[in-house]
């Protein structure tokens, strides 16, 4: 059974960069690039900000960037802004039948 | 503009049933896989179920197999989740989400605002 581990929280000052890791354990982990990231503000629905490890949906600023090395995917927020304070979730395709696994979520705090 | 609007949530006793609906607009509903994703209070996201464009394939997370049934009506641009034998641990906000098209891999590119289901006596 695949599982995704994220740090519980990260923080940074405005203008700084922060990186959130997402480490997969379990089967069929590093063998594909179907990792996506979602931003969720309190009381709101999640919003897709990165897909296929490092691609941007339309309208998402390039301050958000994604990468992957082995079993660990990462989301980097550059030039941190107050509006970036939110929860962030990674998600990986886990194969047919299981389909999707979400990470535990990371709270980003802008100091 | 793509819109997904959930309805049907509420308070239900343990062992009871509830049916969620998701009304889709702004895109060709019949061309997309659709999913339900839930979020327990103060907790993370959990994928619950999804269904292929024509309804011929459907998949569930293990914890709801045999209790929940996903369905869709492409003529009405609607997705449903029939939830039976509800348990306290099913308490969550349930989101309807569109899965991206084949060229964009596996992800959820649009989400509804969510519908709260509370299972309590």
């Amino acid at each position: 059974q695949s599982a995704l581990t994220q740090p519980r929280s990260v923080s940074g000052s405005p203008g700084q960069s922060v990186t959130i890791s997402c480490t997969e354990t379990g089967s069929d982990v590093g063998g594909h690039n179907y990792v996506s990231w979602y931003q969720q503000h309190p009381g709101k629905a999640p919003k897709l900000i990165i897909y296929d490890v490092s691609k941007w949906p339309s309208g998402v600023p390039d301050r958000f960037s994604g990468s992957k090395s082995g079993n660990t995917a990462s989301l980097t927020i550059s030039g941190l802004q107050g509006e970036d304070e939110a929860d962030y979730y990674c998600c990986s395709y886990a194969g047919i039948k299981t389909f999707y696994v979400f990470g535990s979520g990371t709270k980003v705090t802008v100091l | 503009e793509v819109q997904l609007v959930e309805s049907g949530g509420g308070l239900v006793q343990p062992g009871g049933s509830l049916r969620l609906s998701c009304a889709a607009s702004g895109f060709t509903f019949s061309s997309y896989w659709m999913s339900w994703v839930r979020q327990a209070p103060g907790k993370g996201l959990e994928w619950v179920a999804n269904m292929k464009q024509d309804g011929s394939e459907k998949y569930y997370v293990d914890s709801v197999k045999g209790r929940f049934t996903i369905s869709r009506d492409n003529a009405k641009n609607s997705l449903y989740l029939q939830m039976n034998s509800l348990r306290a641990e099913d308490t969550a906000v349930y989101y309807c989400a569109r899965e991206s098209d084949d060229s964009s891999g596996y992800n959820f590119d649009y989400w509804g605002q969510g519908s709260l289901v509370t299972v309590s006596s």
Side-chain angles (χ1 to χ4, degrees):
Chain A
Q1 193 89 8
S2 181
L4 302 177
T5 301
Q6 299 179 232
R8 181 164 296 192
S9 64
V10 299
S11 61
S13 299
Q16 289 186 330
S17 295
V18 295
T19 297
I20 303 168
S21 61
C22 171
T23 302
E24 300 189 75
T25 56
S27 60
D28 63 30
V29 167
H32 64 74
N33 287 324
Y34 299 130
V35 177
S36 52
W37 289 89
Y38 302 85
Q39 177 192 61
Q40 186 180 34
H41 288 106
K44 301 294 187 182
K47 174 188 174 183
L48 176 68
I49 56 173
I50 293 288
Y51 68 96
D52 291 357
V53 173
S54 60
K55 298 178 181 178
W56 292 279
S58 174
V60 173
D62 58 7
R63 301 188 294 103
F64 295 92
S65 61
S67 62
K68 184 177 179 183
S69 177
N71 286 4
T72 298
S74 298
L75 173 72
T76 297
I77 310 173
S78 304
L80 202 60
Q81 299 180 6
E83 67 208 49
D84 300 333
E85 188 162 289
D87 293 324
Y88 292 82
Y89 294 91
C90 60
C91 180
S92 177
Y93 174 66
I96 198 75
K97 294 188 179 179
T98 308
F99 264 90
Y100 298 100
V101 175
F102 282 95
S104 47
T106 299
K107 181 176 181 58
V108 170
T109 300
V110 181
L111 301 172
Chain B
E1 178 192 6
V2 172
Q3 283 198 320
L4 299 169
V5 180
E6 301 94 336
S7 60
L11 175 64
V12 61
Q13 292 188 338
S17 298
L18 212 57
R19 188 195 195 208
L20 300 181
S21 299
C22 171
S25 61
F27 65 102
T28 304
F29 180 73
S30 59
S31 296
Y32 291 85
W33 282 75
M34 295 295 295
S35 270
W36 289 98
V37 177
R38 69 183 178 183
Q39 186 171 35
K43 302 296 184 182
L45 300 169
E46 180 184 40
W47 173 78
V48 174
N50 68 352
M51 175 170 268
K52 193 177 180 179
Q53 292 93 328
D54 61 1
S56 61
E57 295 179 40
K58 57 184 79 173
Y59 302 96
Y60 302 90
V61 68
D62 285 347
S63 59
V64 308
K65 284 180 182 175
R67 300 188 300 121
F68 289 12
T69 302
I70 188 173
S71 62
R72 64 193 295 164
D73 185 336
N74 287 340
K76 294 183 177 180
N77 292 333
S78 293
L79 181 73
Y80 307 100
L81 186 67
Q82 177 67 44
M83 302 183 291
N84 299 331
S85 302
L86 283 161
R87 307 166 180 167
E89 54 265 35
D90 296 318
T91 294
V93 173
Y94 285 74
Y95 294 101
C96 168
R98 189 181 86 168
E99 297 188 28
S100 65
D101 61 28
D102 290 343
S103 64
S104 302
Y106 296 90
N107 57 79
F108 308 100
D109 57 1
Y110 287 94
W111 299 65
Q113 84 289 349
S115 184
L116 176 62
V117 173
T118 304
V119 184
S120 175
S121 54

